[in-house]
Amino acid sequence: MADGNNPAPPPAASPLQSHRYAIKSSAHNTAASRRREQAVAIGKERREALMRAKRVCRTPLSGSNESAIEDGDMVIDDEKEGLETRTAQAVQELKSSLSSQGKGAQKKKIEALRALRRLLSQSEVPPIEVAIKAGAVPLLVQFLSFGSSDEQLLETAWCLTNIAAGQPEETKTLLPALPLLIAHLGEKSSTLVAEQCAWAVGNVAGEGSDLRSTLLAQGALLPLARLMLSNKGSTARTAAWALSNLIKGPDPKAVNELIKIEGVLNAIIRDLEKADEELATEVAWVVVYLSALSEKAISLIVRSHVPQLLIARLLASENLQLLIPVLRGLGNLVAGDGYMVDSVLIVGHSITDQALSSLIKCLKSDNRVLRKEASWALSNIAAGSFEHKKLIFTSEATPLLIHLLTSAQFDIRKEAAYTLGNLCVVSAGSTDPPNIITEHLASIINGGALPGFVNLVRSADIESARLGLQFLELVMRGYPNGQGPALVERQDGIDAMERFQFHENEAMRNMANGLVDKYFGEDYGLE
Amino acid sequence: MSLDVTQILLSAQSPDGSVRKHAEESLKQFQEQNLPSFLLSLSSELANNEKPEESRRLAGLILKNALDAKEQHRKNELFQRWLALDAGVKAQIKALLLQTLSSPVASARSTSSQAIAKIAGIEIPQKLWPELIASLLSNIHQVQPNVKQATLETLGYLCEEVSPEAVDQDQVNKILTAVVQGMNASEGNSEVRLAATRALYNALGFAQVNFSNDMERDYIMRVVCEATQSPEMKIRQAAFECLVAISSTYYDKLATYMQDIFNITAKAVRGDEESVALQAIEFWSSICDEEIDILDEYSSEFTADSDVPCYYFIKQALPALVPMLLETLLKQEDDQDLDEGAWNLAMAGGTCLGLVARTVGDDIVPLVMPFVEENITKSEWRQREAATYAFGSILEGPSADKLTPLVNVALNFMLSALVKDPNNHVKDTTAWTLGRIFEFLHGSALETAPVITSENCQQILTVLLQSMKDVPNVAEKACGALYFLAQGYVDAGSASPLTPFFQDIVQALLVTSHREDAGESRLRTAAYETLNEVVRCSTEETAPIVMQLVPVIMMELHQTLEAGKLSTDEKEKRSDLQGLLCGCLQVIIQKLGGMESTKFAFLQYADQMMDLFLRVFACRNATVHEEAMLSIGALAYAAGSNFAKYMAQFYQYLEMGLQNFEEYQVCAITVGVVGDLCRALEDKILPYCDGIMTQLLKDLSSNQLHRSVKPPIFSCFGDIALAIGENFEKYLIYAMPMLQSAADLSAHANAADDEMLDYTNQLRNGILEAYSGILQGFKSSPKTQLLMPYAPHILQFLDALYNGKDMDDSVMKTAIGVLGDLADTLGVHAGPLINQSTSSKQFLDECLSSDDPLVKESADWARIAISRAVSG
């Protein structure tokens, strides 16, 4: 009956008894809760770091003569305890093999390494932690010493690759092994050894930006780039994969260095020419990061054979894994350097027709990413010369874009609108309003695009709304026989424009009001 | 009945403690022995006009409290208890209450109104009291004003208690008609008009349909606006409160009324009594809230749209609104800075001005700067203070480009005013404004030329450290300014210009925290929280100084434990101080434990520190100290598996924290600490897992626990599974069904508003983190097959999320990770299931091409795991 002591509250107290927080408040009012939020955020980051999953290298590399016989003597015993005991034993064996001398010593080393590697390649239960605790890493570093046999290096690098695929803390235990792994990426190593080392380095690079900077500081970029020059498909592919892990950024330094390395661009060209789609996929990702992070790289790439090859790949392949990086790369190039449209995709050249066909193919795809990126690339091409506009206009792209404008997701609609808008105007110099290409405009309107643009005007996204308004202006000014205003009115365009009557953005407000006044003013409808 | 209820009720309010206690005991016994008879005699007492007002009022109050409680769990119990009462008893009680509405005694009517509304809140949703509204409405046509007044008051409370869905539109219309008629200027009785206006405030939530109808809306708005002109102050205030509520509930319906509303609010702000003027300002603040929200949605990347369009009311009103608000700034109260709860015209006006700045950005600057320039050098302190306050208020919102040149000019002036101005109020506001400058125009995230340079930084520090010796309220604001100054250098690394002065800063803050008068204006809290921020943002170079701080703070904490017998008040003060010191240690642990160069040396203190934390816990009986809990989480992570030696002693407090339903933040923090422990101890946490899991499962099934704690509990399952691996086996049969049902709920949640969507996504994240943790935990185990039965459901959940299209980026990342974990852990067994799932492939493709590198990274990995699982 705690309430019994207190007098009853005044009848019908004012409903708003508390007031809002005063702007002039003390920093400490929020400091403690911020501190707590930070503690929670740190816990979350640590959980994510712990969970961040990684690749586990379990299957032997192609080209290794082991692959056929491996399955036969795979360890079948699933008992974890047994596995751990045997792993600890294997590390002990490894240790004692180091000190054995004379005849048969080398054989003993190889057998010990191979035993450990097989345990670490167990498909379900890689006992990485036990191996590390038993002291495997420092031993393996010793096995990487210069002058060791290829077989020894290969087995060692393979063990390290599997350890690198473990938990973050486990990956970090490889820090002492990195300088030697990088050293064995070099030209003096056999390709199998170098490739296995690249795999290990790629796993480490995938772990996070800290380890990436360590690897870059230790000089991993140059040997990996050289390795990508290899003629052997699997080697180039592994190297390209490891490279793309290494140059992910966000710091563009690695990318800028990579493009300067002699032969890299040629290797990219060569690999994109090959039939191997997996190779092309990894190389295309390298192109994506190059073109996303470095203007210098873009400038070199657009002047090479790469655009032609990307276009050919885009046209020929149905493999989504490949198409996504290829299209992303191509889009980066078209958007990144005017040279692409002005001097590569020249109208009349077959490369331009191919480019258009490949983009049309992507517009038709079921995949949202392909549709969006293709619309984006097209809008940049449509901003080019009159001939470019005419070419796109007369192609199958126009009805597809009109369809996307009226039915696709918001971001795709916007890109499609940009493209269609660009098709209808041609620049008339820096100050004058653009000239209208009446034929294109009339045909695009007759094709059913107007409702789509009116919808854009209604969008809350200012950029889209401006796009829509600009297009309506074109229609009212340039549609043949002065029919434009009537068409716009029929699609509720006036209502859409009147929404801007009180718009915050002055330019938009003036533009919309000006259009309504000019085309639907007092005289409208009198004739 | 042999008891004299009246006498007991009067005794229960006696000034004599023993009499009161005895009476309370009797009431309690009566209630426990015969609840129906108890409630019935209370309502009879309330209804009886012969009885004294005091006993009637308390009877009504006890009755009301027997029907409702703040806490959800208790509330449900009381609802059920009422519903279980004999129907005849309930009918009698209700009749007596309705009868009381005609009583000549105002307090009896009012208490009865509240009790009726409480019963309505229980019964109307169950369709148990269908005749109530009709019978209330019939009262409206009675002549006696007291009946009318009580009825309108009851309708108002009823609207507060009952949700709009439970009432038919037809009845809503009748309620609104009655209420609006009561508000009309033609209503001669001002008590009736006041009750009607207050009732409308609660009834607004019911008026969705009516506000969509132009004619009805016009009518309601006209009546509300007229009521703001009533000769009665209380009616004017209530009418403005209605306008405030309308501005947030019906923002999109206001366009045609804005000119009139501006005129009446301006008149009220300039000439009406303070309580009315405050509501008039609140109207504009509330419009700002709405427009800030809408513009936020416009600019957000994902939706780029808002259900409600922005009408830019603030922008249109700007030229008239800003001068009106600036005038209010000159109406400060003396010594308002010494009262933490103060709220007056100047404070409300400045707060509104700040919101206006956030709404319109750059446009406000030319309207405010002439006022600042004109007043800042005046001899009258009110003018200087108002000018400073105006300047400080507009520092958030306008662009840095616009503000930087102004701030560059103002900075020196402010620094000198903070030292030289003769008036404390001006100095207080000046220090606050400096803090705002550092908060919004300083830091590495800004692209404009920096306002704070290594050249002027030293001067700023000198002034702030000196001001920390000023009167407590000014010193407290100076600490706040230093807090933001330090925060701006969090990413500066060794380049931080604070580094050379670090020792001086720490020393000055410690001295401030020890001032005799540090209890005033919460100066001590400000000093410690600023110290925390300074430490958090410090560089490796100053780590030795932070290390020296460890024994100092530990000694202070030790001293709090040495005190002898304390009064309740002193205990509370001690607990506050312990909180500050534990908070400080938490930040130091994170700092020193997180750097390789200091970690080892720092951990030498771990034993002593843990001993102190355990003694802090022991100071309380039933609850744990949340700050100490947070510090322990940080210590566990820093100590790693060595923390195991403290577990035996610490475990009891951990369990206590997990059981704390009432203070749900304590429970949430403890859940987070379990995660820290899992990462620190790994499988050494196993002996404690039975207890922890039992408690977490209890928490999840509880209706009492605040919902915000549930997502972290799911994540915590993942933490535990990651730590103990296949030993999680025995918890699967409990945890998995809980995860499944939560997953089903969250996948199909109809997220009505942003807040709900946000919560739903947090819940999804928690569930997915649990799945990832469990899958990864079993990865190194021969028992992975135990998870197979759960795989189809996990995939269905992922399909549902993908198809729902409303997950945020962080859910997307976690979800694609779960898909990879599933493939990785279950290998070829999962292949066919993944192939069958309807959207795995599309989902993966979308994530592979994501712009977010973290999403892409998870997806890259998942792709490989899946291709291995699928190819077998």
Side-chain angles (χ1 to χ4, degrees):
Chain A
M1 212 82 16
D3 281 342
N5 292 339
N6 306 321
S14 169
L16 293 177
Q17 283 162 342
S18 57
H19 58 78
R20 61 174 60 235
Y21 279 114
I23 188 173
K24 190 179 157 193
S25 61
S26 300
H28 69 247
N29 285 346
T30 49
S33 58
R34 270 187 223 162
R35 184 160 50 72
R36 274 169 227 162
E37 279 163 23
Q38 269 153 4
V40 172
I42 289 173
K44 208 164 163 52
E45 277 169 30
R46 286 177 181 154
R47 175 184 305 126
E48 283 181 11
L50 192 62
M51 281 187 175
R52 188 173 298 161
K54 272 157 311 136
R55 313 167 62 144
V56 182
C57 167
R58 286 173 188 149
T59 46
L61 294 168
S62 59
S64 154
N65 53 12
E66 286 272 333
S67 45
I69 55 167
E70 198 64 23
D71 291 337
D73 59 358
M74 196 79 177
V75 187
I76 299 163
D77 189 358
D78 264 351
E79 285 299 322
K80 189 179 171 191
E81 224 167 277
L83 185 66
E84 290 182 347
T85 317
R86 275 182 290 116
T87 307
Q89 279 167 2
V91 176
Q92 281 313 311
E93 295 280 326
L94 201 60
K95 196 172 186 178
S96 65
S97 77
L98 258 181
S99 53
S100 70
Q101 299 281 332
K103 209 178 150 192
Q106 179 62 16
K107 189 163 172 257
K108 207 172 163 193
K109 281 185 188 172
I110 299 293
E111 276 169 5
L113 275 171
R114 189 167 290 161
L116 179 62
R117 183 260 295 166
R118 284 181 189 162
L119 288 164
L120 290 172
S121 304
Q122 276 282 66
S123 64
E124 302 260 333
V125 200
I128 296 171
E129 196 191 340
V130 182
I132 292 172
K133 281 200 179 136
V137 175
L139 291 174
L140 290 168
V141 173
Q142 294 192 49
F143 279 98
L144 280 180
S145 61
F146 292 108
S148 307
S149 73
D150 275 4
E151 199 173 14
Q152 179 180 326
L153 291 171
L154 181 65
E155 291 291 353
T156 308
W158 196 341
C159 290
L160 290 168
T161 306
N162 288 350
I163 293 174
Q167 301 294 323
E169 291 306 319
E170 295 168 354
T171 312
K172 285 194 188 118
T173 62
L174 290 196
L175 275 171
L178 297 183
L180 279 168
L181 277 175
I182 293 170
H184 288 296
L185 288 172
E187 287 137 15
K188 292 195 177 125
S189 306
S190 76
T191 47
L192 270 181
V193 170
E195 187 179 339
Q196 192 64 57
C197 290
W199 201 318
V201 168
N203 271 348
V204 174
E207 174 54 40
S209 59
D210 282 356
L211 283 172
R212 277 204 279 283
S213 348
T214 307
L215 286 169
L216 287 167
Q218 293 180 355
L221 187 72
L222 184 64
L224 272 183
R226 295 239 170 91
L227 200 60
M228 196 176 67
L229 311 186
S230 164
N231 285 318
K232 189 168 171 239
S234 70
T235 308
R237 185 180 75 224
T238 307
W241 166 76
L243 260 182
S244 67
N245 265 357
L246 190 65
I247 62 172
K248 271 178 187 166
D251 186 354
K253 202 170 146 226
V255 170
N256 280 322
E257 273 177 35
L258 177 61
I259 195 66
K260 279 191 240 154
I261 296 171
E262 199 185 331
V264 164
L265 195 53
N266 286 335
I268 290 174
I269 292 170
R270 183 201 59 197
D271 292 340
L272 286 174
E273 279 171 344
K274 288 187 182 164
D276 184 346
E277 291 211 325
E278 285 185 28
L279 172 60
T281 302
E282 300 303 347
V283 169
W285 278 114
V286 174
V287 174
V288 167
Y289 291 120
L290 283 171
S291 57
L293 294 169
S294 161
E295 284 182 20
K296 168 91 182 138
I298 293 185
S299 163
L300 289 171
I301 292 171
V302 293
R303 287 165 177 80
S304 74
H305 198 43
V306 170
Q308 171 80 67
L309 290 168
L310 291 177
I311 290 164
R313 282 290 185 180
L314 199 54
L315 202 53
S317 177
E318 295 298 334
N319 177 348
L320 198 60
Q321 306 300 352
L322 175 60
L323 291 178
I324 286 176
V326 164
L327 178 57
R328 168 85 57 92
L330 190 62
N332 285 348
L333 296 178
V334 174
D337 194 329
Y339 184 87
M340 241 341 246
V341 177
D342 298 340
S343 309
V344 178
L345 299 177
I346 297 167
V347 177
H349 292 197
S350 67
I351 182 177
T352 312
D353 295 327
Q354 285 173 16
L356 189 55
S357 308
S358 66
L359 292 174
I360 288 172
K361 171 181 142 182
C362 295
L363 287 182
K364 289 181 186 165
S365 158
D366 292 336
N367 185 280
R368 173 181 169 162
V369 177
L370 288 185
R371 289 202 305 266
K372 179 184 170 187
E373 302 244 342
S375 307
W376 178 53
L378 262 179
S379 74
N380 283 309
I381 301 175
S385 70
F386 176 70
E387 284 72 27
H388 282 107
K389 294 170 198 290
K390 196 167 156 194
L391 180 72
I392 297 174
F393 170 72
T394 50
S395 77
E396 201 187 345
T398 307
L400 284 169
L401 287 166
I402 294 175
H403 178 69
L404 290 178
L405 173 68
T406 48
S407 64
Q409 290 94 335
F410 172 73
D411 48 352
I412 304 182
R413 284 208 311 263
K414 199 160 119 185
E415 299 299 347
Y418 262 117
T419 317
L420 290 170
N422 281 341
L423 291 182
C424 295
V425 292
V426 63
S427 169
S430 53
T431 51
D432 299 325
N435 292 326
I436 297 173
I437 310 170
T438 313
E439 184 199 348
H440 292 188
L441 180 66
S443 164
I444 284 170
I445 296 297
N446 298 344
L450 193 54
F453 280 103
V454 172
N455 266 336
L456 278 188
V457 175
R458 294 204 174 93
S459 168
D461 174 59
I462 295 277
E463 204 192 335
S464 303
R466 181 182 296 119
L467 200 57
L469 273 182
Q470 284 168 343
F471 193 84
L472 295 195
E473 189 275 333
L474 293 182
V475 175
M476 295 188 286
R477 173 156 61 95
Y479 194 86
N481 305 324
Q483 290 295 303
L487 286 173
V488 169
E489 185 186 18
R490 219 172 295 150
Q491 295 298 341
D492 288 333
I494 305 180
D495 172 63
M497 287 189 282
E498 280 176 345
R499 283 174 43 127
F500 288 94
Q501 217 165 345
F502 301 109
H503 201 275
E504 165 194 50
N505 186 311
E506 195 181 346
M508 297 288 287
R509 193 172 64 230
N510 292 342
M511 184 171 171
N513 291 345
L515 287 178
V516 173
D517 288 348
K518 179 167 179 191
Y519 293 103
F520 303 102
E522 288 173 8
D523 298 337
Y524 180 69
L526 290 181
E527 293 156 41
Chain B
M1 174 177 43
S2 57
L3 281 163
D4 180 358
V5 173
T6 309
Q7 191 49 52
I8 299 175
L9 288 168
L10 291 175
S11 303
Q13 302 171 73
S14 159
D16 181 337
S18 64
V19 174
R20 202 167 62 223
K21 197 154 183 252
H22 182 71
E24 281 170 7
E25 272 307 310
S26 314
L27 285 169
K28 202 171 162 197
Q29 269 179 20
F30 187 8
Q31 168 162 11
E32 278 163 8
Q33 279 161 12
N34 192 344
L35 181 72
S37 155
F38 177 66
L39 296 177
L40 204 51
S41 41
L42 290 174
S43 30
S44 308
E45 181 80 13
L46 178 61
N48 191 340
N49 285 328
E50 312 286 306
K51 297 289 186 179
E53 185 174 347
E54 292 74 22
S55 69
R56 296 177 72 182
R57 199 169 53 196
L58 184 55
L61 193 66
I62 296 172
L63 185 61
K64 190 188 84 163
N65 290 339
L67 294 165
D68 196 8
K70 264 202 186 121
E71 193 237 309
Q72 190 61 40
H73 186 66
R74 174 82 185 136
K75 187 179 188 138
N76 291 341
E77 275 176 19
L78 294 177
F79 279 21
Q80 292 312 318
R81 195 178 74 174
W82 170 262
L83 289 170
L85 284 182
D86 174 68
V89 172
K90 282 188 285 191
Q92 280 185 64
I93 293 173
K94 290 192 278 191
L96 285 163
L97 288 171
L98 284 172
Q99 180 194 323
T100 312
L101 292 182
S102 319
S103 164
V105 181
S107 71
R109 294 198 303 272
S110 180
T111 322
S112 181
S113 291
Q114 296 174 45
I116 292 171
K118 292 292 177 197
I119 296 174
I122 302 172
E123 295 202 342
I124 288 188
Q126 316 241 12
K127 312 267 179 230
L128 287 175
W129 199 0
E131 69 281 11
L132 169 66
I133 293 175
S135 101
L136 286 172
L137 289 168
S138 72
N139 275 353
I140 291 289
H141 303 295
Q142 299 217 4
V143 197
Q144 300 141 288
N146 60 338
V147 184
K148 243 180 164 174
Q149 177 268 340
T151 305
L152 285 164
E153 194 177 329
T154 311
L155 285 171
Y157 288 133
L158 186 144
C159 290
E160 198 178 4
E161 296 295 334
V162 180
S163 82
E165 298 81 49
V167 183
D168 296 338
Q169 184 60 38
D170 178 46
Q171 289 197 314
V172 169
N173 291 343
K174 285 179 181 152
I175 293 174
L176 278 170
T177 308
V179 167
V180 176
Q181 268 171 8
M183 276 179 78
N184 214 307
S186 61
E187 172 57 56
N189 184 298
S190 61
E191 288 301 315
V192 172
R193 203 174 170 201
L194 179 62
T197 311
R198 286 178 175 164
L200 180 69
Y201 178 87
N202 288 324
L204 282 168
F206 286 64
Q208 292 289 351
V209 172
N210 313 77
F211 261 82
S212 301
N213 176 319
D214 291 354
M215 234 173 59
E216 292 182 39
R217 184 181 63 238
D218 283 348
Y219 181 62
I220 297 173
M221 289 302 292
R222 186 173 60 76
V223 171
V224 174
C225 289
E226 275 172 15
T228 66
Q229 306 300 307
S230 156
E232 290 292 325
M233 187 274 277
K234 281 182 179 169
I235 296 178
R236 295 198 301 276
Q237 183 185 341
F240 273 113
E241 282 164 5
C242 287
L243 274 182
V244 172
I246 290 170
S247 71
S248 61
T249 315
Y250 301 108
Y251 167 83
D252 58 332
K253 304 277 194 299
L254 285 177
T256 47
Y257 314 108
M258 285 308 277
Q259 187 61 50
D260 290 338
I261 295 177
F262 180 82
N263 293 338
I264 59 182
T265 53
K267 187 176 148 210
V269 170
R270 294 201 164 105
D272 211 324
E273 291 182 50
E274 186 171 59
S275 64
V276 183
L278 284 175
Q279 289 306 320
I281 294 176
E282 180 61 23
F283 172 83
W284 290 100
S285 292
S286 167
I287 294 283
C288 287
D289 287 344
E290 293 303 311
E291 297 198 341
I292 289 170
D293 280 355
I294 296 172
L295 295 172
D296 261 5
E297 280 189 44
Y298 276 4
S299 60
S300 92
E301 237 178 283
F302 305 105
T303 52
D305 212 344
S306 161
D307 298 338
V308 179
C310 186
Y311 288 89
Y312 302 97
F313 293 137
I314 297 296
K315 176 138 186 142
Q316 293 171 61
L318 208 55
L321 182 60
V322 171
M324 173 183 98
L325 293 173
L326 291 173
E327 281 172 41
T328 65
L329 304 189
L330 291 158
K331 301 186 178 162
Q332 307 96 327
E333 290 174 297
D334 294 315
D335 295 337
Q336 68 183 37
D337 291 328
L338 304 181
D339 173 9
E340 223 183 326
W343 185 245
N344 57 42
L345 212 54
M347 296 174 83
T351 301
C352 187
L353 191 65
L355 290 166
V356 171
R358 286 174 54 201
T359 313
V360 303
D362 286 358
D363 291 354
I364 197 167
V365 175
L367 294 169
V368 170
M369 284 316 290
F371 177 85
V372 176
E373 283 153 12
E374 191 194 325
N375 289 291
I376 197 127
T377 51
K378 285 283 162 61
S379 58
E380 163 64 35
W381 73 265
R382 285 176 193 279
Q383 287 174 292
R384 298 197 304 280
E385 197 276 339
T388 316
Y389 188 23
F391 188 65
S393 297
I394 62 164
L395 290 171
E396 185 188 8
S399 64
D401 281 337
K402 188 90 179 172
L403 292 173
T404 300
L406 301 172
V407 169
N408 280 331
V409 174
L411 189 60
N412 271 328
F413 186 93
M414 298 274 166
L415 290 172
S416 131
L418 184 52
V419 182
K420 293 189 189 134
D421 199 288
N423 181 280
N424 280 340
H425 197 143
V426 175
K427 285 200 274 189
D428 183 295
T429 305
T430 305
W432 168 75
T433 301
L434 284 168
R436 300 264 296 174
I437 291 175
F438 305 150
E439 184 178 4
F440 298 109
L441 293 163
H442 160 55
S444 58
L446 288 168
E447 283 165 6
T448 44
V451 168
I452 319 297
T453 60
S454 46
E455 288 75 44
N456 62 17
C457 188
Q458 185 174 358
Q459 187 203 353
I460 292 170
L461 269 177
T462 310
V463 170
L464 291 182
L465 297 193
Q466 189 183 335
S467 285
M468 279 157 53
K469 298 179 191 141
D470 209 321
V471 292
N473 63 306
V474 175
E476 188 271 330
K477 293 289 191 305
C479 286
L482 182 56
Y483 176 97
F484 289 114
L485 184 68
Q487 191 172 78
Y489 288 121
V490 66
D491 297 321
S494 58
S496 168
L498 299 188
T499 304
F501 311 103
F502 194 79
Q503 179 86 56
D504 300 334
I505 296 171
V506 168
Q507 201 52 43
L509 286 166
L510 285 176
V511 168
T512 307
S513 74
H514 293 140
R515 276 170 59 155
E516 293 262 328
D517 54 3
E520 293 170 33
S521 295
R522 306 232 296 150
L523 176 57
R524 184 175 294 114
T525 306
Y528 278 116
E529 290 296 354
T530 302
L531 181 60
N532 294 343
E533 194 65 2
V534 167
V535 168
R536 187 180 76 86
C537 303
S538 66
T539 65
E540 201 153 355
E541 209 178 324
T542 46
I545 305 174
V546 178
M547 190 72 85
Q548 289 164 15
L549 206 50
V550 178
V552 175
I553 304 290
M554 279 175 39
M555 180 50 81
E556 289 189 31
L557 189 54
H558 176 78
Q559 280 160 1
T560 68
L561 297 162
E562 295 295 284
K565 197 155 168 49
L566 299 175
S567 69
T568 318
D569 190 36
E570 286 166 333
K571 271 190 186 161
E572 201 170 307
K573 277 194 177 139
R574 176 179 69 177
S575 179
D576 288 347
L577 180 58
Q578 286 172 342
L580 295 173
L581 295 167
C582 287
C584 192
L585 286 173
Q586 177 223 333
V587 173
I588 295 175
I589 293 167
Q590 269 167 10
K591 192 80 203 173
L592 298 179
M595 293 191 287
E596 288 303 325
S597 56
T598 50
K599 188 172 180 174
F600 180 75
F602 167 71
L603 283 172
Q604 305 303 309
Y605 290 109
D607 283 356
Q608 292 172 49
M609 208 177 276
M610 194 61 200
D611 182 52
L612 285 171
F613 293 148
L614 290 170
R615 288 174 64 195
V616 170
F617 280 135
C619 288
R620 298 204 192 171
N621 293 325
T623 57
V624 296
H625 202 295
E626 60 181 315
E627 292 288 1
M629 188 59 88
L630 268 178
S631 308
I632 285 179
L635 186 62
Y637 191 80
S641 61
N642 289 329
F643 191 85
K645 62 178 168 177
Y646 310 122
M647 278 304 285
Q649 278 176 286
F650 170 55
Y651 179 73
Q652 54 171 320
Y653 300 112
L654 188 74
E655 198 163 70
M656 215 184 263
L658 293 176
Q659 284 165 342
N660 199 337
F661 293 137
E662 289 79 21
E663 296 165 278
Y664 67 90
Q665 296 94 334
V666 174
C667 186
I669 281 173
T670 313
V671 170
V673 169
V674 173
D676 291 329
L677 290 171
C678 287
R679 286 180 283 277
L681 299 178
E682 297 186 323
D683 54 0
K684 287 189 189 154
I685 200 172
L686 191 57
Y688 304 96
C689 282
D690 281 357
I692 294 171
M693 279 301 290
T694 307
Q695 208 47 57
L696 292 178
L697 291 165
K698 253 192 221 168
D699 285 350
L700 278 179
S701 19
S702 156
N703 301 322
Q704 281 175 270
L705 187 64
H706 194 271
R707 67 174 192 181
S708 67
V709 191
K710 299 198 174 176
I713 290 179
F714 285 127
S715 304
C716 191
F717 283 176
D719 295 334
I720 292 172
L722 272 176
I724 64 173
E726 63 178 12
N727 291 305
F728 198 81
E729 177 186 352
K730 59 177 164 176
Y731 308 125
L732 284 176
I733 53 162
Y734 307 103
M736 284 307 211
M738 286 226 174
L739 283 165
Q740 285 191 2
S741 62
D744 286 341
L745 270 176
S746 87
H748 305 292
N750 188 5
D753 52 53
D754 290 352
E755 200 188 338
M756 189 62 202
L757 182 61
D758 200 38
Y759 175 72
T760 304
N761 275 322
Q762 283 173 25
L763 195 61
R764 291 166 174 171
N765 225 4
I767 295 164
L768 291 165
E769 282 180 339
Y771 281 143
S772 262
I774 293 168
L775 285 162
Q776 291 191 4
F778 273 77
K779 198 172 105 177
S780 315
S781 143
K783 295 186 179 168
T784 52
Q785 289 311 307
L786 291 172
L787 299 179
M788 270 311 287
Y790 307 108
H793 187 274
I794 295 175
L795 285 165
Q796 280 162 28
F797 180 45
L798 295 175
D799 279 346
L801 289 180
Y802 178 75
N803 293 323
K805 300 276 176 222
D806 59 355
M807 56 178 155
D808 60 25
D809 269 10
S810 83
V811 174
M812 193 163 177
K813 186 183 70 184
T814 327
I816 198 66
V818 169
L819 186 60
D821 290 327
L822 189 85
D824 193 34
T825 297
L826 300 178
V828 291
H829 306 290
L833 290 171
I834 293 173
N835 273 333
Q836 284 160 26
S837 102
T838 51
S839 48
S840 293
K841 198 169 149 35
Q842 272 173 295
F843 185 28
L844 181 64
D845 287 341
E846 201 162 297
C847 292
L848 280 171
S849 53
S850 166
D851 291 328
D852 182 337
L854 290 174
V855 174
K856 186 168 179 321
E857 188 185 88
S858 294
D860 276 334
W861 170 77
R863 171 173 65 116
I864 291 170
I866 291 170
S867 69
R868 255 201 321 259
V870 170
S871 69

